[in-house]
Amino acid sequence: MSRAIGVLAMEHIAVGLVEDGALAGPVRVYPPLGSPSVGLHAMPPEQIAEAIRTEIVAAAGGLGVDAVGIGFPGIIRGGVVQDSPNLRQVKGFKLQATLASMLSPAVPVHVLNDADAVAAGIAAKRGHLGELIRVWTLGSGVGYGRYPATDGIWEGGHIVVTLDPREKYCGCGGVGHLEGIVGGRSMRLRFLDREPDEVFTDAKAGDERCAAFVTTWHRALAAAMATSVHLDGPGRLFVAGPNARFVDLHPLDRYLHEMVTLSPVQGSSIEIVEAGDETAIVGAAVHAERAG
Ligand SMILES: [Zn+2]
């Protein structure tokens, strides 16, 4: 039996024990729900590492584990957080090496992008570990995850989907980005008078501006998927996250097929999937086990 610890670090830390690719205990959350402790955004990197270590030790329950996997937001290369827009203080932090040095007895530690952990979790939970899995996580920002995770930048949420110079709502400041159209934060900046939910509801009710935007929203997501398919090949494409509820699969699929016409890249499927903390925890653990 394989035993690994999966960790998801975002505004909070969620940790669980994973046995043979499935969660085998409660998900531990730090700070605990309702506690007055500050979130990760206000903690120095060393304190974040210490909080993660404490939860790992507790989740292991005194028994040995084969590996520890940590899903962390941002650009992660070689176990180093190269950038993390929502946790800026962690930029440059050697999270993998720091945590490995804190754990005794020694356990292999692997840090990967949080969306890559979601992709690995989807692959594990659905029995697709032998396949290429891609996931777009739609929330305030837009994450892009790939399983198997490979070295690189892979900031798919910031892929350019329009040449319109007025499209500058992305959280990173870049012009024409997917997140600048599809991300929740950017939708609030675009429609100062309406919440994203209202935009989608008003579009259905016949509001022209909202309807035009909802079309653009789906075409932007399709464009990002088409680019991914043209670079990485066809396969299973998933949409997850709180704003996946806005996705209308029928037009999305049609736009993708309009954008992808070469026969070797045909045959992708798009699916909406529930992927909470548990999926990312399982994915981080499975990734770490397979990374050895
Ligand atoms: Zn961007």
Side-chain angles (χ1 to χ4, degrees):
M1 187 176 70
S2 71
R3 282 168 55 88
I5 301 286
V7 180
L8 173 66
M10 294 201 303
E11 186 49 29
H12 60 281
I13 300 166
V15 182
L17 174 66
V18 176
E19 290 179 352
D20 293 334
L23 198 64
V27 172
R28 302 183 54 86
V29 177
Y30 175 91
L33 237 55
S35 101
S37 306
V38 292
L40 267 53
H41 66 275
M43 290 164 66
E46 296 75 16
Q47 201 182 329
I48 292 175
E50 175 56 29
I52 293 174
R53 185 200 70 85
T54 304
E55 296 304 323
I56 289 170
V57 170
L63 298 167
V65 294
D66 307 319
V68 172
I70 301 167
F72 202 88
I75 298 172
I76 315 293
R77 294 190 86 177
V80 178
V81 182
Q82 292 197 333
D83 202 357
S84 190
N86 297 320
L87 298 169
R88 291 188 185 276
Q89 76 277 24
V90 186
K91 182 170 179 164
F93 187 57
K94 296 183 176 117
L95 180 60
Q96 189 167 296
T98 303
L99 259 167
S101 73
M102 293 166 104
L103 292 171
S104 171
V107 181
V109 177
H110 293 274
V111 181
L112 75 164
N113 172 267
D114 56 342
D116 286 338
V118 172
I122 293 168
K125 289 173 105 174
R126 297 186 160 226
H128 298 324
L129 284 169
E131 294 175 48
L132 170 62
I133 299 289
R134 279 156 284 182
V135 61
W136 284 261
T137 57
L138 311 185
S140 178
V142 176
Y144 170 75
R146 183 189 192 274
Y147 170 86
T150 48
D151 184 40
I153 302 292
W154 299 104
E155 278 294 315
H158 301 275
I159 201 162
V160 173
V161 295
T162 169
L163 299 179
D164 187 340
R166 292 167 300 176
E167 287 293 347
K168 50 188 179 188
Y169 295 117
C170 190
C172 80
V175 175
H177 291 189
L178 173 67
E179 183 180 304
I181 294 172
V182 172
R185 178 186 173 276
S186 74
M187 284 193 273
R188 289 201 171 87
L189 290 173
R190 184 184 305 268
F191 290 90
L192 293 169
D193 54 338
R194 283 178 259 215
E195 282 294 298
D197 280 284
E198 295 174 86
V199 172
F200 283 83
T201 308
D202 292 353
K204 280 206 179 83
D207 180 298
E208 273 181 35
R209 182 176 171 228
C210 292
F213 174 73
V214 167
T215 298
T216 300
W217 191 90
H218 282 86
R219 288 185 64 84
L221 188 52
M225 290 176 163
T227 297
S228 168
V229 166
H230 283 123
L231 294 174
D232 220 358
R236 296 180 189 276
L237 314 176
F238 291 93
V239 187
N243 288 351
R245 71 184 188 280
F246 297 138
V247 172
D248 188 344
L249 274 180
H250 183 67
L252 181 62
D253 197 57
R254 182 159 55 84
Y255 300 146
L256 178 64
H257 280 88
E258 288 170 3
M259 293 171 186
V260 178
T261 58
L262 295 168
S263 62
V265 288
Q266 297 287 318
S268 291
S269 64
I270 310 173
E271 211 177 313
I272 299 165
V273 65
E274 282 267 350
D277 287 2
E278 185 197 327
T279 303
I281 288 168
V282 168
V286 166
H287 168 83
E289 277 174 348
R290 293 173 80 92

